[in-house]
């Protein structure tokens, strides 16, 4: 046991006590932080003043009160407010009687006693915030005790414990330390400042650049706080396109943006191989198999490795990532590396909160809401890849262009997203030519099906999945230099594409790098 007499003696002599080895002994014999008098004053003021509850409810929840009777009284007051009934001593007593809790709290006398020492509700907000502080102190003590107990267990995984501890600490902040509202005049100052900054910029992009001019013309870059869903059927090129976006943002010549990529499907080495393939223009199959000639290795180092080594791209290939772990990792990356964009590949492989009784659709709904909350918290765009259901394949009219209803497992994805983009390639469905008889090999349609802050468009890109690379035919190459690799040349102009732009056709000329034929598309 703690020697209280010894502690008092040391305190009188002005001595500092060294922390004990067992941290839990520091709280033995102490009452948890609380303020019973302020709890009584707040509840009494709510029953006396008409608008007092509206002030308190923005700060406190029932569990913030230390005394059990006070928690029950506050829940009764909440019940009255939800039913739009007046709040006073008589109605609170009747509500407690209806809930069969009146005797548990000490009867009508205790409710009446709460109002006796209250003069006015003038300082009720300050009192409520002190109660909240005491509650947070109790929560920190409780969480710390749980962490200590788990840390002593030999079977505890230390990394899971770290994630659990950070998640619990974050929940305290997220649930109880919310930002207050702002008056319009303060928001106007920030808005005018932002408009002035945009006016003096030489470019139209206001967010994170995608690297594809036709796409940036519609989106003005990926905007902060936005949740962008990038969806397609398997093997269409979602991951390749997402890695192109990551590379374009990280190596943008004027606005380089650190990017975090969370891959639940592939390992980090596989992702790097794909980015190297796109950057060096060497076929992914050759890089994966290591079957490259000497000049190709030199090209890989010169055009790929040296350039990407300095790219602020952070890869995480943790399997079975849940929303708590993702949030914790993103917060650390934001603090340590100031990441400006988050990419998740892909949403359906994530796990939710693990609530018992929830089905997969509810879990996906929780994940999508959490991703939107993460984008708002960190003030960055979050791009989440998503699978489409098989309903696309079942259509008999020949139209395989994805629709919002094709999003797999949950309609909440559609609701929570600020933007939904679908990737569609005609040659994926063995369509070799368009109605004008022109080849559509590699043609990729990026259809914006939902855009909360802009127009709905279809952007036509060109894909070469053998090198994991996409091109914008209407402008300069997103990777710098000419629009297409050096061994491609234009042969004719195509018909009118999306957004009124003509989609040019290209053929690949001979090269020592690529031993495979043009028709042998391994991806």
């Amino acid at each position: 046991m703690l020697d209280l007499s010894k502690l008092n003696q040391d305190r009188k002599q002005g001595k500092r006590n060294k922390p004990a080895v067992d941290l839990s002994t520091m709280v033995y014999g102490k009452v948890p932080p609380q303020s019973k008098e302020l709890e009584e004053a707040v509840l009494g003021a709510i029953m006396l003043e008409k608008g007092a509850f509206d002030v308190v409810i923005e700060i406190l929840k029932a569990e913030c009160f230390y005394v059990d009777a006070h928690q029950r009284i506050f829940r009764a007051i909440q019940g009255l407010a939800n039913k739009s009934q007046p709040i006073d001593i008589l109605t609170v007593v009747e509500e407690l009687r209806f809930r069969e809790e009146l005797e548990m709290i000490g009867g009508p006398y205790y409710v009446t006693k709460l109002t006796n020492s209250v003069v006015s509700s003038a300082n009720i907000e300050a009192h409520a915030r002190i109660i909240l502080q005491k509650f947070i102190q109790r929560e920190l003590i409780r969480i710390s005790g749980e962490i200590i107990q788990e840390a002593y267990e030999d079977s505890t995984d230390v990394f899971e414990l770290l994630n659990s501890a950070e998640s619990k600490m974050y929940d305290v902040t997220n649930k109880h330390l919310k930002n207050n509202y702002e008056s319009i005049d303060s928001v106007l100052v920030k808005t005018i400042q932002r408009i002035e900054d945009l006016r003096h910029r030489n470019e139209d992009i206001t967010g994170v650049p995608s690297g594809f001019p036709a796409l940036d013309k519609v989106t003005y870059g990926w905007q902060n706080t936005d949740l962008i869903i990038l969806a397609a059927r398997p093997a269409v090129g979602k991951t390749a396109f997402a890695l192109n976006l990551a590379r374009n943002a990280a190596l943008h010549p004027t606005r380089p943006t650190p990017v975090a990529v969370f891959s639940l499907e592939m390992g980090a080495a596989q992702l790097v191989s794909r980015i190297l393939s796109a950057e060096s223009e060497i076929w992914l199959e050759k890089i994966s198999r290591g079957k490259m000639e000497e000049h190709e290795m030199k090209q890989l180092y010169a055009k790929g490795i040296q350039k990407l080594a300095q790219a602020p791209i952070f890869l995480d290939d943790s399997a079975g990532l849940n929303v708590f772990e993702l949030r914790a990792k993103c917060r650390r990356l934001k603090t340590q590396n100031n990441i400006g964009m988050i990419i998740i590949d892909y949403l359906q492989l994530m796990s939710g909160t693990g609530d018992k009784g929830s089905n997969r659709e509810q879990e996906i709904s929780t994940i999508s809401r959490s991703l939107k909350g993460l984008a708002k918290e960190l003030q960055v765009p979050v791009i989440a890849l998503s699978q489409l259901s098989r309903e696309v394949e079942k259509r008999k009219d020949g139209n395989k262009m994805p629709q919002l209803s094709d999003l797999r497992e949950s309609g909440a994805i559609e609701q929570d997203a600020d933007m939904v983009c679908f990737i569609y390639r005609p040659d994926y469905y063995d369509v070799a030519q368009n109605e004008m008889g022109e080849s559509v090999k590699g043609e990729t349609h990026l259809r914006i099906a939902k855009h909360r802050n802009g127009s709905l468009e279809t952007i036509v890109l060109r894909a070469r999945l053998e090198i994991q690379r996409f091109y914008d035919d209407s402008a300069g190459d997103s990777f710098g230099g000419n629009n297409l690799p050096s061994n491609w040349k234009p042969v004719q102009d195509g018909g009118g594409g999306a957004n009124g732009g003509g989609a040019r056709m290209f053929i690949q000329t001979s090269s020592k790098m690529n031993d495979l034929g043009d028709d042998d598309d391994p991806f």
Side-chain angles (χ1 to χ4, degrees):
M1 291 183 62
L2 215 60
D3 190 349
L4 296 178
S5 60
K6 181 68 167 60
L7 284 176
N8 289 330
Q9 184 179 356
D10 289 345
R11 193 183 301 112
K12 291 177 181 178
Q13 295 176 358
K15 294 181 180 178
R16 289 182 175 269
N17 297 306
K18 294 182 180 179
V21 176
D22 184 0
L23 188 61
S24 61
T25 61
M26 297 179 66
V27 297
Y28 286 170
K30 290 188 178 181
V31 178
Q34 58 174 297
S35 182
K36 183 180 178 182
E37 295 80 8
L38 288 179
E39 292 182 9
E40 293 175 349
V42 167
L43 292 174
I46 291 174
M47 289 186 283
L48 288 177
E49 298 286 344
K50 185 176 180 180
F53 178 75
D54 295 333
V55 175
V56 173
I57 194 60
E58 292 184 2
I59 304 170
L60 299 179
K61 298 180 180 179
E63 59 266 26
C64 296
F65 292 86
Y66 178 74
V67 181
D68 179 69
H70 296 167
Q71 292 186 13
R72 295 178 186 274
I73 294 172
F74 192 79
R75 289 194 185 96
I77 292 172
Q78 281 183 299
L80 290 170
N82 291 337
K83 292 183 284 188
S84 300
Q85 294 184 7
I87 300 170
D88 56 34
I89 297 173
L90 296 178
T91 55
V92 171
V93 168
E94 287 302 316
E95 180 69 16
L96 287 166
R97 184 177 285 118
F98 174 77
R99 293 167 176 253
E100 298 181 350
E101 295 180 344
L102 185 59
E103 299 305 319
M104 297 180 187
I105 61 98
Y109 169 75
Y110 188 79
V111 178
T112 305
K113 193 182 79 167
L114 293 175
T115 62
N116 291 341
S117 59
V118 179
V119 178
S120 74
S121 62
N123 300 319
I124 190 171
E125 183 176 352
H127 295 165
R129 295 198 181 279
I130 294 174
I131 294 172
L132 177 62
Q133 290 174 21
K134 301 294 183 183
F135 168 73
I136 292 175
Q137 286 178 275
R138 295 196 301 272
E139 283 293 282
L140 293 176
I141 292 171
R142 179 185 64 80
I143 292 169
S144 300
E146 292 176 358
I147 295 170
I148 291 169
Q149 184 176 357
E150 292 178 22
Y152 273 114
E153 297 293 333
D154 293 334
S155 59
T156 299
D157 185 296
V158 66
F159 298 106
E160 289 183 4
L161 181 59
L162 283 171
N163 283 329
S164 174
E166 190 169 27
S167 174
K168 290 175 180 177
M169 291 295 185
Y170 173 76
D171 283 343
V172 173
T173 304
N174 189 45
K175 291 179 180 178
H176 303 287
L177 296 178
K178 297 180 180 178
N179 292 329
N180 208 342
Y181 59 83
E182 293 183 86
S183 61
I184 191 170
D185 58 341
S186 62
V187 180
L188 276 172
V189 173
K190 299 176 185 177
T191 304
I192 295 298
Q193 172 119 30
R194 180 173 178 272
I195 292 172
E196 287 290 341
D197 291 342
L198 295 176
R199 281 185 65 233
H200 292 91
R201 283 186 182 176
N202 295 324
E203 55 183 353
D204 294 330
I205 298 175
T206 60
V208 178
S210 71
F212 300 101
L215 179 58
D216 286 334
K217 187 176 181 180
V218 178
T219 64
Y220 302 102
W222 309 118
Q223 301 299 315
N224 291 341
T225 76
D226 276 4
L227 172 61
I228 300 106
I229 300 296
L230 185 64
R233 291 291 293 150
V236 170
K238 293 189 301 297
T239 301
F241 185 69
L243 292 177
N244 276 214
L245 296 177
R247 180 266 171 211
N248 294 346
L251 294 178
H252 193 272
T254 59
R255 303 180 63 185
T257 303
V259 181
V261 179
F262 294 87
S263 176
L264 289 82
E265 187 177 29
M266 298 182 185
Q270 291 176 298
L271 297 179
V272 171
S273 295
R274 287 170 172 246
I275 301 175
L276 278 174
S277 175
E279 194 71 39
S280 63
E281 300 180 9
I282 298 175
W283 286 45
L284 176 61
E285 183 173 313
K286 290 189 172 187
I287 294 176
S288 301
R289 293 167 56 195
K291 301 296 183 181
M292 290 183 289
E293 298 179 12
E294 186 62 30
H295 72 276
E296 291 174 324
M297 283 300 301
K298 291 181 180 178
Q299 182 170 331
L300 185 69
Y301 275 98
K303 294 186 64 176
I305 294 174
Q306 289 185 4
K307 195 170 185 180
L308 290 175
Q310 305 301 321
I313 300 176
F314 305 92
L315 306 175
D316 188 305
D317 59 0
S318 304
L321 194 68
N322 62 45
V323 291
F324 293 128
E325 295 168 342
L326 174 70
R327 201 161 51 193
K329 291 181 177 183
C330 289
R331 285 198 305 270
R332 286 199 297 270
L333 284 167
K334 181 68 174 179
T335 302
Q336 297 171 5
N337 301 290
N338 195 29
I339 57 170
M341 186 166 72
I342 299 168
I343 297 176
I344 301 160
D345 183 15
Y346 60 92
L347 190 148
Q348 281 81 8
L349 289 180
M350 289 188 65
S351 57
T353 57
D355 293 339
K356 294 181 179 179
S358 62
N359 56 35
R360 182 57 179 166
E361 183 173 341
Q362 292 170 330
E363 193 174 21
I364 291 294
S365 299
T366 301
I367 293 170
S368 65
R369 284 195 302 271
S370 299
L371 294 182
K372 175 59 182 175
L374 179 65
K376 290 186 67 177
E377 178 196 349
L378 300 185
Q379 292 288 302
V380 300
V382 174
I383 300 177
L385 277 57
S386 176
Q387 291 281 21
L388 293 177
S389 67
R390 292 190 180 92
E391 295 301 316
V392 180
E393 318 295 342
K394 296 178 182 178
R395 293 195 192 117
K396 298 180 181 179
D397 58 0
N399 181 16
K400 304 297 184 181
M401 178 66 77
Q403 304 172 6
L404 288 173
S405 58
D406 296 324
L407 285 170
R408 185 175 161 189
E409 288 185 310
S410 177
I413 300 175
E414 172 189 345
Q415 297 170 15
D416 296 328
D418 297 280
M419 185 185 300
V420 178
C421 302
F422 295 116
I423 301 177
Y424 167 77
R425 285 194 295 113
D427 57 5
Y428 180 82
Y429 295 101
D430 298 325
V431 177
Q433 296 179 331
N434 59 21
E435 16 337 308
M436 301 182 66
E438 300 166 340
S439 172
V440 293
K441 180 177 174 60
E443 185 176 296
T444 302
H445 297 203
L446 184 68
R447 181 189 173 216
I448 303 176
K450 178 185 178 182
H451 193 184
R452 202 186 299 274
N453 302 307
S455 60
L456 305 181
E457 303 279 352
T458 298
I459 314 299
V460 177
L461 305 174
R462 187 71 55 178
R464 286 196 61 205
L465 295 185
E466 66 272 19
I467 62 170
Q468 298 290 291
R469 192 156 161 182
F470 287 80
Y471 302 92
D472 187 341
D473 288 354
S474 63
D477 179 15
S478 60
F479 279 72
N482 295 326
N483 185 37
L484 290 173
S486 55
N487 60 326
W488 278 46
K489 64 179 183 179
V491 292
Q492 67 179 49
D493 290 331
N499 300 328
R504 293 178 289 171
M505 294 182 62
F506 296 81
I507 62 171
Q508 183 179 18
T509 59
S510 59
S511 170
K512 293 190 296 180
M513 290 191 303
N514 300 323
D515 297 328
L516 299 175
D518 290 344
D519 295 329
D520 298 330
D521 188 351
F523 301 97

